[in-house]
Amino acid sequence: PGGSIIVSAARDGEVRVWDSRVPFAAAEPASHSQRVIALHVRNKDVTTASAGEDGAVKVWDAQSGVLQYRFDPEHGAAITAVVISNSGQHVVTASRDGSIKRFDVKGDKAVLGATAKAHRFGVAGMVCHHQGEFMLSYGSQDARITVWDIESLLDVVTFTLPAETVILQVAFSLDGKFVISADAGSSLRLWNIEAAKQVLERRIPTTEVHSLIDFSPDGKYIATVADGASDVALWDAQMGFKFQGNLTAHTQGIIATGFAADSRFMASVSLDL
């Protein structure tokens, strides 16, 4: 809340909580025996879910560092994403085997509630809706985006991009009526959920191939990172993708970015020390 808390995960299996107002870790509330591969922070109360290569999913309070519960989703391949529903009553995991699973929270336990086949070649990521019990998933190779009803785990609508499109990022619009997607070819697409179709396509005015594209929650800004770049390019989405400048603070390639819930701040992670 307020954008002051940052949660990071590392290859050493540690999950750390940082207070952006002080230059050191505020807590190390959870750890995995192997690399952490997925992380989700519920903005409402900073409840955090982490998934590791050890097969475990842990859900904990990031502010107090108290582990609430843990479970093993038992997918047929590695976990690729995990999200907590807005109500906090469900945790959904995704895997390279293309499946997603919904677990229902009952006290200090998570009980399997439903399983669905999501993407043929594996799930690349998932994003929760801002308010309702909905989420979306996107494939790593099948160029598809699917909106799901979390409580039933039934698909609401599926959007299909051109074949071989590499999807980098997907998000719900602030009003929740649209889905925004970005791909490695610098194309941004707007999808109408109710009409179940694409309604707009724009290209970021650059010739660079991007490895990361991120949207601010208020829809005003887009952050892009060229493949191997150590800086972040910031664009004004409401002024025809007007270039605002480069954010330079790293000496090696950036591997992750994220905006705060209020869109005032953003964090970047790189390979430098």
Side-chain angles (χ1 to χ4, degrees):
S4 62
I5 300 297
I6 299 172
V7 183
S8 66
R11 293 180 179 177
D12 61 6
E14 294 293 332
V15 177
R16 296 176 175 87
V17 180
W18 306 80
D19 187 329
S20 62
R21 296 164 295 187
V22 295
F24 54 83
E28 296 183 15
S31 63
H32 292 265
S33 61
Q34 297 182 47
R35 182 171 70 103
V36 180
I37 52 180
L39 189 71
H40 177 252
V41 181
R42 183 168 170 253
N43 287 325
K44 185 176 180 180
D45 57 7
V46 203
T47 299
T48 300
S50 59
E53 283 188 340
D54 55 8
V57 172
K58 297 184 177 184
V59 178
W60 41 279
D61 185 319
Q63 291 184 313
S64 68
V66 175
L67 180 67
Q68 298 179 349
Y69 53 91
R70 60 161 291 166
F71 63 95
D72 186 343
E74 297 184 344
H75 285 281
I79 301 170
T80 55
V82 59
V83 295
I84 306 170
S85 68
N86 285 307
S87 67
Q89 297 302 306
H90 309 289
V91 178
V92 183
T93 60
S95 169
R96 288 180 183 172
D97 65 9
S99 70
I100 57 175
K101 294 185 177 185
R102 189 200 73 225
F103 292 83
D104 304 327
V105 180
K106 301 183 182 299
D108 60 353
K109 296 182 180 179
V111 180
L112 179 62
T115 300
K117 184 66 175 180
H119 298 278
R120 182 179 178 185
F121 300 109
V123 182
M126 298 188 296
V127 179
C128 271
H129 194 276
H130 302 302
Q131 298 177 348
E133 293 293 274
F134 296 93
M135 68 170 206
L136 58 79
S137 66
Y138 57 100
S140 55
Q141 298 181 46
D142 66 355
R144 293 168 64 242
I145 303 166
T146 301
V147 178
W148 301 86
D149 181 318
I150 295 178
E151 293 187 342
S152 65
L153 208 62
L154 295 176
D155 59 304
V156 177
V157 63
T158 294
F159 303 117
T160 302
L161 286 77
E164 300 183 2
T165 299
V166 178
I167 301 172
L168 295 180
Q169 184 64 285
V170 178
F172 285 104
S173 63
L174 197 60
D175 61 11
K177 297 179 180 180
F178 299 89
V179 169
I180 309 162
S181 67
D183 61 54
S186 302
S187 289
L188 301 177
R189 292 179 171 87
L190 188 66
W191 310 83
N192 185 302
I193 296 175
E194 185 176 356
K197 65 179 182 179
Q198 178 181 317
V199 294
L200 185 68
E201 180 178 357
R202 291 288 186 271
R203 284 184 58 84
I204 299 173
T206 176
T207 58
E208 296 179 312
V209 176
H210 292 100
S211 58
L212 293 170
I213 296 179
D214 207 358
F215 315 105
S216 65
D218 62 7
K220 293 182 178 179
Y221 297 102
I222 296 172
T224 63
V225 178
D227 193 22
S230 60
D231 56 358
V232 179
L234 195 63
W235 309 81
D236 190 323
Q238 296 185 332
M239 296 184 66
F241 302 124
K242 183 179 180 181
F243 179 62
Q244 299 296 295
N246 288 318
L247 307 178
T248 56
H250 298 287
T251 58
Q252 295 189 43
I254 294 173
I255 57 175
T257 60
F259 282 93
D262 61 4
S263 301
R264 290 181 60 203
F265 302 99
M266 74 172 297
S268 58
V269 182
S270 84
L271 297 172
D272 51 14
L273 299 178

